[in-house]
Amino acid sequence: MDPVNILCVKWGTKYGPDYVNKLRSMVRRNMSRPYRFVCLTDDATGIDPDIEIFPLPKIGIPEFDAATGWTRLHGWLKVTVFAAPLYDLTGPTLFLDVDIVITGPLDAFFDPPGDFIVIKEWDKRDETGNTSVFRFTAGAHGALIADLSQSLASAQSDYRNEQEFVTSWFGRQGRMTYWPKGWCVSFKRHCMHRGIMGFFKPARIPEGARVVVFHGKPNPPDAIIGRSGKWYRRVLPVDWVRELWQ
């Protein structure tokens, strides 16, 4: 069986190297087929030596190639994974955000057919996807970068963030599909109890969930100690995040 790719991106200082190292550890425990684990980053300091590391790809868009740290272009830098070529990576590639917790086997993410498979955004009724977890073919979508290069100003005006642009681009071509419902869940939307019950019961893992996405606040280390990051939301300490996020 040919190896597949697991890919993540880290830049700036919002997420430290421990996020990459823990992601690598979670993948190791939840993948049985052969794979390469690759991190694209602007700073490899502290990342475990057994992780393959490449610099953030230069894609020929000056605003992206010069961006450093957590700038106004922060989320948009994720589109650099669509560089063609993407170093020596080829074939099926599963992109994972670093601020997730893996709760189940990942092998099945390589089974469904499709050019671009992504999470259906939970908070929107249109076709927008959430790019915390998506699968694509490495090096096969350079046209996305070319289109963005030709319309950068309008793209960043018309689309609120990278994931809206990317999922709209694939959607217009009829090349986007979604993960089966329940594979990827939101910590805030699906794990936390609603209303008054959130004050008495800690977040749980929904049945069948394989990846829990932490978007916004809290992040995994916040959930471990019961820190919500928002005055209007209470989060009790979550033992399963402590056990799995390592």
Side-chain angles (χ1 to χ4, degrees):
M1 181 180 292
D2 292 334
V4 294
N5 307 308
I6 306 288
L7 180 67
C8 70
V9 176
K10 183 190 84 69
W11 69 95
T13 58
K14 182 175 182 178
Y15 301 109
D18 56 321
Y19 277 79
V20 178
N21 297 337
K22 291 176 189 292
L23 180 63
R24 170 68 173 86
S25 180
M26 290 187 289
V27 168
R28 182 187 291 118
R29 297 194 301 270
N30 288 282
M31 279 284 288
S32 61
R33 66 184 298 166
Y35 67 91
R36 294 173 62 183
F37 186 93
V38 177
C39 177
L40 307 178
T41 184
D42 62 347
D43 184 1
T45 304
I47 297 178
D48 289 342
D50 66 333
I51 294 175
E52 285 193 68
I53 298 171
F54 293 99
L56 291 171
K58 302 295 185 182
I59 58 175
I61 303 177
E63 293 87 342
F64 286 72
D65 293 349
T68 58
W70 200 251
T71 70
R72 68 178 183 85
L73 291 171
H74 60 280
W76 286 82
L77 287 176
K78 194 190 292 187
V79 302
T80 60
V81 304
F82 296 107
L86 182 60
Y87 297 106
D88 66 336
L89 273 67
T90 59
T93 302
L94 183 67
F95 177 89
L96 301 173
D97 269 347
V98 295
D99 57 338
I100 63 170
V101 172
I102 298 173
T103 57
L106 295 178
D107 294 73
F109 283 88
F110 291 95
D111 292 339
D115 288 337
F116 179 77
I117 311 176
V118 69
I119 302 170
K120 176 68 178 71
E121 177 59 50
W122 308 286
D123 298 332
K124 295 201 171 195
R125 295 185 178 181
D126 61 16
E127 65 179 3
T128 301
N130 182 302
T131 56
S132 294
V133 180
F134 64 87
R135 199 192 77 207
F136 68 110
T137 300
H141 304 297
L144 182 149
I145 299 296
D147 287 351
L148 180 62
S149 178
Q150 294 171 8
S151 59
L152 181 62
S154 62
Q156 293 190 315
S157 173
D158 296 340
Y159 298 99
R160 186 170 57 94
N161 51 35
E162 153 273 334
Q163 71 180 15
E164 289 187 359
F165 170 79
V166 168
T167 55
S168 174
W169 190 87
F170 279 103
R172 290 194 306 270
Q173 301 179 43
R175 300 166 66 189
M176 180 171 67
T177 52
Y178 302 109
W179 300 119
K181 188 175 181 180
W183 279 17
C184 303
V185 298
S186 158
F187 179 79
K188 290 185 292 189
R189 303 289 186 270
H190 307 116
C191 299
M192 293 181 60
H193 295 271
R194 295 189 177 187
I196 192 67
M197 295 308 296
F199 285 79
F200 303 101
K201 290 186 176 182
R204 75 286 197 195
I205 304 174
E207 184 176 358
R210 298 166 185 253
V211 174
V212 174
V213 176
F214 286 76
H215 49 103
K217 295 288 186 179
N219 284 318
D222 299 319
I224 290 173
I225 64 175
R227 180 173 57 202
S228 73
K230 299 289 184 180
W231 65 267
Y232 53 81
R233 181 187 300 120
R234 184 180 184 186
V235 175
L236 297 177
V238 187
D239 288 339
W240 57 264
V241 177
R242 183 189 307 277
E243 294 169 359
L244 298 177
W245 194 68
Q246 58 178 318

